[in-house]
Amino acid sequence: QVQLVESGGGSVQAGGSLRLSCAASGHTYSRWCMGWFRQAPGKEREGVATIDSDGRTKYPDSVKGRFTISRDNAKNTLYLGMGSLNPEDTAVYSCARAIGRPPRPLERNGYISWGQGTQVTVSS
């Protein structure tokens, strides 16, 4: 059973930065497509970054240039670097493991395992 555990959330002022981590169990981690998603109160969960087993990344326009997804396969760990944060980035951020290579990697229905999430709060 895959377990995903996020850490690194917290409170930050607008313009600040945070780095999230996601520790994964499983000896085939390097083969997985992974993603970061967020859900703000009253809103749908949305994908903010994905990375496949070859290191190719994808971002929505809302975070492109501000967020960076990366992975360390030796440590079974996924990262999300977030910069130039603004209050609209406030949400619970979760990491997820995809089912194979999803055709639309930023859509949540392509993912099978989820972490519990970590809160990110950005104040103005």
Side-chain angles (χ1 to χ4, degrees):
Q1 185 176 357
V2 174
Q3 286 190 320
L4 303 173
V5 180
E6 302 93 341
S7 61
S11 297
V12 64
Q13 289 193 325
S17 302
L18 280 175
R19 188 193 196 200
L20 306 182
S21 299
C22 169
S25 64
H27 62 280
T28 58
Y29 169 79
S30 64
R31 304 178 191 173
W32 303 341
C33 178
M34 300 290 295
W36 284 100
F37 291 75
R38 68 184 180 186
Q39 188 166 21
K43 293 188 177 181
E44 294 288 322
R45 182 176 285 180
E46 63 169 338
V48 295
T50 68
I51 186 168
D52 68 14
S53 58
D54 296 321
R56 290 173 294 198
T57 60
K58 192 172 183 65
Y59 307 90
D61 289 343
S62 58
V63 307
K64 199 172 292 183
R66 300 190 298 121
F67 289 13
T68 302
I69 189 172
S70 60
R71 65 192 302 164
D72 185 335
N73 291 334
K75 296 182 179 180
N76 275 23
T77 302
L78 182 73
Y79 302 100
L80 182 67
M82 304 185 293
S84 300
L85 287 163
N86 58 66
E88 290 69 39
D89 296 316
T90 295
V92 175
Y93 285 72
S94 302
C95 62
R97 172 204 170 188
I99 307 168
R101 288 178 179 261
R104 291 174 291 278
L106 288 173
E107 293 185 7
R108 59 184 179 177
N109 58 11
Y111 292 79
I112 191 172
S113 301
W114 295 83
Q116 290 188 324
T118 185
Q119 176 70 45
V120 171
T121 302
V122 184
S123 58
S124 58

